[in-house]
Amino acid sequence: MNSWDRSDSEFTFNSKYPGLGSNDFDLMMRLSRAGTDHRKFMRMIVVYVDITAPMYWLTEFDTYKVGTVSNSTSKMHRLTYKPFEISDFSFEHLICNKSEAFFGSDKVKSLVDNLNQLRNYYLETKDKHYWYSILQLLPCSYNQKRTVMLNYEVLANIYKSRKGHKLDEWKEFCEWIESLPYSELITGKSN
């Protein structure tokens, strides 16, 4: 907008966040509301975050690969480094009461025990078939950690598309977006 002379922000190397001036913030909000072709500056606001989430959610998150970089814990190299525990999975929404008996806690424990038995066989023999069995039986509720680099433009697309999603993980992620500095650039909400 050729408005460099009206910039009123203060940038110092010692501050956690830049002192964003009211003129600059107003311009940023107007550009943000004008749409993706006007808010190119949001592509330059970079965010790094560690995400631990079930694979079923991470698969959906991969939809937003444009403008992101991700580095995850490797299933190829780290899958058997420790025994499996129930806390390694997102099982909180399974139907586990006796009256509905669809997938009770005994079956969850059995699944984890079976994965650990295969892990032990693999560690003893180094037979790749056991490792493959673990990989192929691993439920999509298995939690994986990723370090992700993205930007405010990607976060705006995620927020717009996923803020009302039925998965709790998306609701939690959108709440995290709302907690970011100057999140109103992403959400369009006034703070």
Side-chain angles (χ1 to χ4, degrees):
M1 302 289 288
N2 290 333
S3 61
W4 291 278
D5 59 326
R6 289 185 298 248
S7 178
D8 60 347
S9 296
E10 296 179 23
F11 299 96
T12 61
F13 289 104
N14 296 328
S15 65
K16 186 173 181 180
Y17 301 116
L20 192 59
S22 58
N23 290 345
D24 292 330
F25 182 73
D26 179 61
L27 175 61
M28 293 168 79
M29 284 301 295
R30 285 185 286 127
L31 292 171
S32 177
R33 289 184 179 123
T36 57
D37 50 339
H38 296 285
R39 62 183 186 211
K40 294 182 280 292
F41 74 94
M42 289 179 54
R43 300 176 204 161
M44 294 184 266
I45 303 174
V46 179
V47 177
Y48 289 88
V49 62
D50 287 333
I51 299 171
T52 300
M55 291 188 308
Y56 63 80
W57 184 85
L58 290 169
T59 302
E60 288 194 13
F61 181 78
D62 285 343
T63 300
Y64 301 97
K65 280 295 190 193
V66 175
T68 67
V69 178
S70 178
N71 187 21
S72 64
T73 51
S74 172
K75 288 192 305 275
M76 298 301 120
H77 300 288
R78 301 295 291 170
L79 186 61
T80 60
Y81 81 100
K82 71 171 200 63
F84 293 99
E85 300 172 9
I86 289 178
S87 62
D88 294 328
F89 302 86
S90 290
F91 287 145
E92 65 273 4
H93 292 294
L94 286 178
I95 299 171
C96 288
N97 64 44
K98 295 199 187 298
S99 65
E100 296 182 47
F102 177 70
F103 203 89
S105 59
D106 58 326
K107 291 181 182 172
V108 169
K109 185 179 179 322
S110 177
L111 170 66
V112 173
D113 288 345
N114 287 334
L115 288 169
N116 280 323
Q117 187 174 23
L118 289 166
R119 175 186 174 270
N120 290 337
Y121 290 155
Y122 171 72
L123 292 175
E124 289 170 14
T125 66
K126 299 298 181 202
D127 184 338
K128 189 169 83 171
H129 291 98
Y130 293 121
W131 178 84
Y132 254 113
S133 295
I134 295 169
L135 193 62
Q136 291 178 344
L137 288 173
L138 199 62
C140 64
S141 60
Y142 182 68
N143 292 319
Q144 188 177 38
K145 184 174 184 173
R146 290 187 184 180
T147 299
V148 180
M149 182 195 83
L150 26 70
N151 59 54
Y152 269 37
E153 180 63 27
V154 171
L155 290 171
N157 290 333
I158 291 172
Y159 189 83
K160 178 180 170 247
S161 299
R162 302 295 176 144
K163 67 182 173 199
H165 200 277
K166 64 183 170 184
L167 283 178
D168 290 345
E169 291 86 353
W170 280 119
K171 291 175 184 148
E172 186 177 334
F173 193 78
C174 287
E175 288 171 6
W176 169 77
I177 290 172
E178 292 170 352
S179 75
L180 292 172
Y182 307 113
S183 64
E184 54 270 42
L185 295 168
I186 299 168
T187 64
K189 296 178 181 179
S190 297
N191 287 348

